[in-house]
Amino acid sequence: MVLLGIVAAVVLWFLTAPRTLAAGDLPDHTPDLANGETMFWASGCESCHAARGATGDDILKLGGGLAMVTPFGTFNVPNISPDEKTGIGSWSTADFVTALKYGVGKAGEHLYPAFPYTSYQRMRVEDIIDLKAFMDTLEPVDNVVAAHDLPFPFNIRRGLGLWQLVFADGKTFVPDPQASDQINRGAYLVKGPGHCGECHTPRDVAGAMIAARALSGGPAPEGDGTVPNITPDTDTGIGSWSQDDLVTLFKTGFTPDFDSVGGSMAPVQRNLAMLPDEDLEAIAAYLMSLPPIPSEAPAS
């Protein structure tokens, strides 16, 4: 029995080992800062990593510190500014790509999926390289962020390795050969950098998104309220909206009935408004092309 226990422990240790990338694993790619900025706004980095209520140039100061209270504990959003000591200024491009593709930090630690790498993993490596290059141009912020406050067993990072084996495969988005270029672009932005499903998709008992109910709404990740259905279901989703209605929402924050977005969606909309019109139109076209899925979330 002791021997079996030792063997099981060794197997578990290897199964939970972090996956990392070295510089030689990356493609030979010259960073494109303009595309990096597009990826920055599409990814919504400032929505969580800038100071709450930041405006103007301050939204580009990614010092972190936001406390995200969830059913799993409190996650304190890290400093991702290019500060050498308290941010990610000492991270290599390979470190950064590893974090987004495999959910592993510079020190080889598993990252919690409150950081939405289960979506970012779908990004093209070239886009991640461009994003890192753009973020390196931002102002360093000297800010030490507190560690996460999580109960047992969620405070055991190594255990995340088993979760990542199932839900973090590192695979890049594959276009649908039957879809148009526009819809594939929208799908990439929604599933990858935009990580829309992280909030708009209900989750199972393991905390993973339920693929069969993608984007149909559900409980808010923070455990307070609900997130709306953004599939074209007529009764519970956006089935009565037009593509132009969606683009208007992305640009202005106003819905067809002249309501306005608020709460955690407000900074998301602010980021969307920075994207080129063709990307907003692509996102709208993709969302309207989805099969309608009635929401199971209770009305808020």
Side-chain angles (χ1 to χ4, degrees), residues 199-203 213 215-221 225-229 295-298:
C199 285
H200 289 277
T201 298
R203 295 177 181 269
R213 300 202 55 78
L215 304 178
S216 66
T226 59
V227 178
N229 183 345
S295 176
E296 293 181 347

Side-chain angles (χ1 to χ4, degrees), residues 4-37:
L4 286 176
I6 293 174
V7 171
V10 170
V11 170
L12 183 64
W13 183 258
F14 278 101
L15 285 176
T16 58
R19 289 173 288 175
T20 59
L21 294 169
D25 298 319
L26 304 182
D28 183 12
H29 174 70
T30 301
D32 179 341
L33 289 180
N35 183 56
E37 182 174 6

Side-chain angles (χ1 to χ4, degrees), residues 69-291:
V69 180
T70 79
F72 298 98
T74 300
F75 295 94
N76 294 303
V77 177
N79 182 340
I80 60 167
S81 78
D83 184 71
E84 292 278 345
K85 294 182 178 179
T86 66
I88 61 170
S90 65
W91 286 38
S92 69
T93 300
D95 293 333
F96 189 75
V97 174
T98 296
L100 272 67
K101 279 289 187 181
Y102 295 119
V104 175
K106 176 180 170 60
E109 76 280 19
H110 293 298
L111 302 176
Y112 288 96
F115 168 57
Y117 54 81
T118 49
S119 292
Y120 290 156
Q121 66 182 337
R122 305 300 173 220
M123 293 176 67
R124 290 183 287 269
V125 172
E126 292 84 355
D127 284 343
I128 298 175
I129 293 171
D130 293 347
L131 172 60
K132 173 67 161 61
F134 174 75
M135 290 174 62
D136 285 346
T137 69
L138 302 180
E139 180 178 336
V141 179
D142 183 1
N143 182 44
V144 177
V145 175
H148 301 317
D149 182 12
L150 308 175
F152 180 84
F154 306 120
N155 59 341
I156 308 299
R157 282 185 185 261
R158 187 75 183 201
L160 281 169
L162 289 176
W163 191 91
Q164 290 176 345
L165 279 177
V166 181
F167 303 113
D169 55 30
K171 293 181 179 178
T172 301
F173 170 81
V174 177
D176 179 356
Q178 303 302 316
S180 67
D181 289 346
Q182 182 187 51
I183 287 180
N184 273 317
R185 174 64 175 178
Y188 175 72
L189 292 170
V190 167
K191 294 181 178 183
H195 62 280
C196 305
E198 300 285 343
C199 285
H200 289 277
T201 298
R203 295 177 181 269
D204 59 23
V205 293
M209 293 181 284
I210 302 173
R213 300 202 55 78
L215 304 178
S216 66
E222 295 86 354
D224 182 19
T226 59
V227 178
N229 183 345
I230 56 172
T231 74
D233 180 67
T234 301
D235 294 328
T236 65
I238 56 172
S240 64
W241 292 34
S242 69
Q243 289 188 29
D244 286 344
D245 290 334
L246 277 171
V247 173
T248 297
L249 174 73
F250 300 152
K251 286 184 174 182
T252 69
F254 287 103
T255 67
D257 58 3
F258 300 103
D259 194 5
S260 60
V261 299
S264 60
M265 184 61 192
V268 174
Q269 182 274 317
R270 177 173 67 196
N271 283 267
L272 286 170
M274 301 296 291
L275 293 178
D277 284 356
E278 55 266 30
D279 280 346
L280 299 182
E281 291 161 2
I283 293 171
Y286 170 67
L287 292 177
M288 298 305 292
S289 76
L290 294 172

